[in-house]
Every structure is written in structure tokens, then in C-alpha cells.
Amino acid sequence: MPDAQPPRLLDRVRHAARLRHMSHRTEEAYLGWVRRFVSFHGRRHPAEMGATEVVAFLSYLAVTRRVAAPTQNQALSALLFLYRTVLERPLEGLDAAVRAHAPRPIPVVLSRDEVRAVLARLAPRDRLVATLLYGGGLRLLEGLRLRVKDIDIDRRQVLVRQGKGARDRRCPFPVRLRQPLLEHLARVRRLHQRDQRSGVGVPLPEALGVKYPSASTEWEWYWLFPAQRVTVARHSARARKLFRHHLHETAVQRAVKQAARSAAIPKRVTSHTFRHSFATHLLEDGADIRTVQELLGHRDLKTTMIYTHVLECGPLGVTSPADRL
């Protein structure tokens, strides 16, 4: 319409991200960097700026803020997306920006006894989540986003859908979780039946809700780890829909941190530490590194190779000469 106002910059960024099916977290991260970039330059519109202002902002992040290299790279990706995709203005001369140094940290790995000690101090639900992370090498959100249909107990497989990089993969299911998982599913089934009677559904990926209108209330699409609270999504001033999302990641993160502190483990233990321990223990047991790469869902073998430096036999497989005295 001729009287319609042009869309705001952030709305254009959001629309371009959703048009390319970017994840919600990537969308929010890009919007946040665009806001910081505009605020850093006195709220000037990015169309009035160019490569010089981008270089100044990236150098500020590295020199003044001393951010990590992945953080600066994320900011650069957001600004490149803004100028190349949204504003349709290619940038040149970004080599002058001061880049943050990119160290390669060695991941924190727990021994088998330490894994056992942490798991023993978790509540049943959190222990089930953590054992899935350790037993299958899952990321935390990959485990929490599992649905009932993604677990194949008989074939001992866990299907991870739309993992990092929007890739699906299969992971091993720990046999020792068979009975605890069946008991957990019985409790979740009762919650699902109450939600059905109350008209509460679960969010579906992309446009599956349009293709399968009743899927949001079906058992196979229900969360394996549902949240305790129900949220309200308003579609209009009169219409609204009740949804139950999956368990929030902070609940598991707090539980794991407290369990590690209770076990007196002098390491920085997070939920992602179980994934590091999964890869390292598989390599210690003689698994092929290509197999570990597939199970972890890594694109590059170099990413998986970092776990060869934290094996029990010492860095790079070297035995200390002091042990031969």
C-alpha cells in the first residue's frame, strides 16, 4: 500500500534470516550484533556506514572488549549478513580489522569414575538426561529436543533430528537406560493424556503443524523431557494456543554443576563435558576416529582429532619418562 511504512531494519534482518531457514538462536544472535553495531556508532543507520565502521567495531571488540575469536567471528558473520543480504552492499577492506587470537583449548574430560560419581548425585530425570548425553555423545539441546518417536529402544538407537548444521544422525542408546526410560515414559504419558484433555500441544518444526494439524497433540511427537509449565502463544487478539515446550537447558546445567561440586571434582564440569568424555572414552576403547566423527556429527575430522590429545596414556600417546625411573 502507498501509505504503508517501510519495514524497520531489524524486521528486515529477521525476515531475511527466516527466509533462509536460519535457526532461532542464529537469528537472535545476528539481531543482537546489529543492535550493538548501531549503538557503537551513535545509532547511525548502517546504510550510512561501510567497511570503515565495521573494521572499527571489530577492532574494538578485539582490543578493548578482548572478546574470544569465535565471538568476533560471529559478529563479523552478522555484519556481513546485514550488508550483503539485507542491504545488498558488499564490503571490501575488512582485512584491516584487528582479529582476536583463536586459541585451541583442550576439552575437559571426566574419567569413568568421575562420570559415575556425577551421575549418582543427580535426580532421576536429570540423571536420565545426563546418561543420554554421555552414552550417545549428544549436545544438551539435542537431548532435550528429543521426541518420543526419536528413541528406538529395541534397535538401541537415538535419532537426532536437525542437530548442529541442520543435520540428522543416529547415536547409540545405552542399554542400561531401558528400564529407567520405560518408567520415565510412563510418567510422561500421563502428562500427555492430561494435556490432550486440556487442549495443550507441542510446537512442531517448520510447517509440519500445517501439514499435520493433529500432530501437535499426538504421543509420538510429544517431548521426551517436557517442561513443567505451559506457555500461551497468541495468534491474534482473540485466538490463542497452549503449548508445552521441552525442559529448559538451564535446569540440567544447574543440576550437573551442583552434582560435580558435591562429588568434589576439581574440574569445570558442564553438561557438554559428557559429550567430550563420550568421544575420549570411545577412542580409549579402540574405536575408529572416523566412527567417532560420525557419531558426534562433526563436518571436519580435525574437530574430532582434538580428543586424541586427552587420552589416558598422556598427551599424544607419550608416557612420562619419570614413570620409568
Side-chain angles (χ1 to χ4, degrees), residues 118-132 177 179-185 187 224-225 247 252 255 259:
V118 174
L119 295 178
R121 287 165 173 78
L122 291 172
R125 183 202 62 189
D126 299 327
R127 185 186 309 125
L128 184 60
V129 176
T131 307
L132 276 176
L177 286 185
Q179 189 58 35
L181 182 63
L182 291 176
E183 297 173 358
H184 174 75
L185 286 175
R187 295 189 293 268
L224 186 62
F225 301 104
L247 182 67
V252 181

Side-chain angles (χ1 to χ4, degrees), residues 202-248:
V202 295
L204 297 177
E206 298 181 349
L208 283 178
V210 179
K211 188 175 182 180
Y212 306 110
S214 62
S216 64
T217 58
E218 293 178 355
W219 167 240
E220 58 266 25
W221 285 97
Y222 204 69
W223 299 114
L224 186 62
F225 301 104
Q228 297 180 354
R229 298 180 179 179
V230 175
T231 58
V232 179
R234 294 188 177 274
H235 299 286
S236 64
R238 297 182 179 180
R240 68 175 189 171
K241 178 70 175 178
L242 298 177
F243 283 110
R244 187 181 296 276
H245 291 271
H246 59 75
L247 182 67
H248 200 271

Side-chain angles (χ1 to χ4, degrees), residues 101-283:
H101 178 63
R104 192 179 182 185
I106 296 178
V108 176
V109 175
L110 300 176
S111 67
R112 288 172 170 82
D113 291 337
E114 290 173 336
V115 172
R116 191 179 298 111
V118 174
L119 295 178
R121 287 165 173 78
L122 291 172
R125 183 202 62 189
D126 299 327
R127 185 186 309 125
L128 184 60
V129 176
T131 307
L132 276 176
L133 302 183
Y134 172 67
L138 277 67
R139 301 177 179 89
L140 178 57
L141 275 179
E142 291 175 345
L144 296 180
R145 288 173 178 169
L146 289 175
R147 300 178 188 262
V148 174
K149 63 183 183 60
D150 297 332
I151 301 293
D152 192 339
I153 299 179
D154 295 331
R155 300 185 63 186
R156 302 193 299 276
Q157 288 183 347
V158 178
L159 179 57
V160 177
R161 297 185 182 273
Q162 296 293 301
K164 189 174 183 179
R167 298 189 301 273
D168 297 352
R169 73 179 192 277
R170 296 185 182 275
C171 300
F173 173 76
V175 180
R176 63 181 300 166
L177 286 185
R178 179 184 180 90
Q179 189 58 35
L181 182 63
L182 291 176
E183 297 173 358
H184 174 75
L185 286 175
R187 295 189 293 268
V188 174
R189 187 61 183 264
R190 292 192 291 269
L191 179 61
H192 171 255
Q193 292 172 349
R194 291 200 300 268
D195 284 350
Q196 278 188 317
R197 292 192 295 266
S198 304
V200 178
V202 295
L204 297 177
E206 298 181 349
L208 283 178
V210 179
K211 188 175 182 180
Y212 306 110
S214 62
S216 64
T217 58
E218 293 178 355
W219 167 240
E220 58 266 25
W221 285 97
Y222 204 69
W223 299 114
L224 186 62
F225 301 104
Q228 297 180 354
R229 298 180 179 179
V230 175
T231 58
V232 179
R234 294 188 177 274
H235 299 286
S236 64
R238 297 182 179 180
R240 68 175 189 171
K241 178 70 175 178
L242 298 177
F243 283 110
R244 187 181 296 276
H245 291 271
H246 59 75
L247 182 67
H248 200 271
E249 58 267 27
T250 55
V252 181
Q253 291 168 346
R254 286 194 298 265
V256 170
K257 185 176 181 179
Q258 184 176 358
R261 187 183 299 113
S262 177
I265 297 178
K267 299 177 181 179
R268 185 180 180 272
V269 181
T270 65
S271 56
H272 206 70
T273 307
F274 292 113
R275 177 175 162 89
H276 296 323
S277 304
F278 163 84
T280 305
H281 295 169
L282 279 184
L283 292 174

